[in-house]
Amino acid sequence: MNESEAMYALAAIFAPALGRVNERAARGYALKPWALKPHRPDPGTSMAQDDADGYDEKIPEGLSGTVLYPIMNAIDAIASTSALVSQARAEAPFNHHPAAFLSLCRTSIECSAQAIWVMSSEDRDVRRRRAAGLAKVGVEHAREWHSLTQSAYDNGLMEVPEEASVQNRHRLDMHEEELKILETLGPANARQYSDLVRKAANWIAENPPRHAEDVGRVHFQTVSKLGYRVCSSFTHGHAWPIHLLGNPMESFGMMADSVNLALINTECALALYEAQATDPNLGRDRLYPQTLQVTIDDWRGRFSACEDSGTPLSAT
């Protein structure tokens, strides 16, 4: 242990919240292998049936891709908090870049909440409509980008090679067609990320993950609402949360609470995906921490029971 590491260890002793930051950021980093090798649903699973009947061709990435990519982004963000912690150990004086840290937590909370919102319903029709709504928002953003690019090219505001312009026009037309198809699917409203965070928190509170005992000891909806507001304030550059701190060391408590919220959301999103997309009998390599297995098994049984109950499948 070098001098800097020794000083950091001493700081953690006198600031227990710093130890919690380290431990929770490390748990977030442990999710990284799963995000690096994402898998599509195994045949016969609940999510495979969600994408069946040609539904995966009606949504640009299918229902599975619509939830998979946000989870991957959530994991990348929370894993990056660990990189900030590691960098802080090598600096003197220590600088944990709390604004960047909390902004990463917000990204993780938002992305995982989107996936939880889609997957949490035990009604296939609802899951499909929610996925269509989430996909619609993404396609609208893509259409806007290509539309702005085309407008800048047409008005001489930006130089674009002719080949690139043709491709851009093609993609713009493609997104227009995608939106027409998505509109036929009865897409749920997914425009307000803060609303999806609230709905995800409600579901987690009503269905506490068995691997995270602390969820049941708090009013999780309130914890989520307050934590998300603090993280968002740093993303937008607001100063008011700083005034909640009596001294700079108290920022570790704010960071510890925020990364814990991000961790719970992200772990729950991953667990929901595994519960619905993985057939345990196929012997797939487990790329997530063993601690999540109890929650995955619990939720898998719930969705399997739902599908076995005779609920009709919809190709809408």
Side-chain angles (χ1 to χ4, degrees):
M1 180 181 294
N2 59 37
E3 182 178 355
S4 179
E5 291 173 334
M7 291 177 62
Y8 194 87
L10 184 62
I13 292 174
F14 287 100
L18 176 57
R20 294 194 293 275
V21 170
N22 281 287
E23 184 268 331
R24 290 163 182 173
R27 279 176 58 191
Y29 190 83
L31 304 176
K32 188 175 178 179
W34 187 92
L36 293 177
K37 289 187 177 182
H39 69 88
R40 292 288 184 164
D42 290 333
T45 58
S46 173
M47 193 174 290
Q49 294 179 53
D50 287 348
D51 270 340
D53 310 319
Y55 204 79
D56 58 335
E57 297 179 2
K58 298 179 181 180
I59 298 180
E61 301 293 342
L63 183 146
S64 55
T66 300
V67 297
L68 181 60
Y69 293 124
I71 302 173
M72 293 166 62
N73 285 346
I75 292 174
D76 183 72
I78 199 169
S80 296
T81 65
S82 181
L84 284 177
V85 171
S86 297
Q87 177 63 28
R89 293 193 187 100
E91 296 182 356
F94 304 127
N95 184 353
H96 287 79
H97 303 284
F101 187 98
L102 293 166
S103 293
L104 288 168
C105 289
R106 181 198 175 179
T107 297
S108 185
I109 293 166
E110 274 190 2
C111 287
S112 55
Q114 294 174 56
I116 291 170
W117 174 67
V118 172
M119 294 186 291
S120 58
S121 175
E122 296 179 21
D123 185 314
R124 171 159 294 122
D125 287 335
V126 173
R127 292 198 297 271
R128 286 178 162 183
R129 289 196 298 272
R130 289 178 179 180
L134 194 59
K136 181 183 174 184
V137 173
V139 174
E140 287 174 338
H141 290 173
R143 178 186 62 178
E144 181 181 9
W145 189 91
H146 288 290
S147 179
L148 290 170
T149 300
Q150 193 65 41
S151 177
Y153 175 71
D154 293 342
N155 291 298
L157 302 178
M158 185 172 66
E159 291 186 5
V160 179
E162 183 62 27
E163 182 180 353
S165 177
V166 171
Q167 185 180 55
N168 186 77
R169 181 73 251 178
H170 169 73
R171 289 186 176 276
L172 183 56
D173 293 341
M174 179 185 71
H175 293 316
E176 292 284 4
E177 289 302 313
E178 288 174 339
L179 286 173
K180 290 178 183 178
I181 295 173
L182 287 168
E183 282 293 349
T184 69
L185 303 179
N189 186 358
R191 295 183 181 279
Q192 294 293 328
Y193 294 127
S194 59
D195 193 40
L196 302 189
V197 170
R198 177 183 62 81
K199 291 177 179 179
N202 287 342
W203 189 85
I204 292 173
E206 294 167 1
N207 304 272
R210 295 183 62 184
H211 75 276
E213 297 178 355
D214 51 337
V215 172
R217 293 197 292 262
V218 298
H219 190 263
F220 189 74
Q221 297 96 321
T222 298
V223 169
S224 178
K225 187 180 296 183
L226 294 176
Y228 179 63
R229 180 59 57 199
V230 166
C231 292
S232 296
S233 71
F234 280 92
T235 299
H236 297 301
H238 298 159
W240 65 263
I242 298 174
H243 302 306
L244 300 176
L245 306 176
N247 60 71
M249 294 290 283
E250 292 182 7
S251 65
F252 294 138
M254 186 176 288
M255 293 167 64
D257 291 342
S258 298
V259 73
N260 194 49
L261 176 60
L263 184 65
I264 290 171
N265 269 40
T266 305
E267 288 179 339
C268 285
L270 188 160
L272 269 172
Y273 188 92
E274 285 292 315
Q276 297 180 43
T278 304
D279 181 349
N281 296 318
L282 295 182
R284 178 185 292 280
D285 289 341
R286 191 193 73 243
L287 299 177
Y288 50 83
Q290 175 63 35
T291 53
L292 302 184
Q293 193 64 55
V294 63
T295 297
I296 293 169
D297 291 341
D298 180 33
W299 290 347
R300 177 183 289 122
R302 176 180 310 180
F303 286 94
S304 296
C306 177
E307 306 304 341
D308 292 341
S309 65
T311 302
L313 305 186
S314 172
T316 304

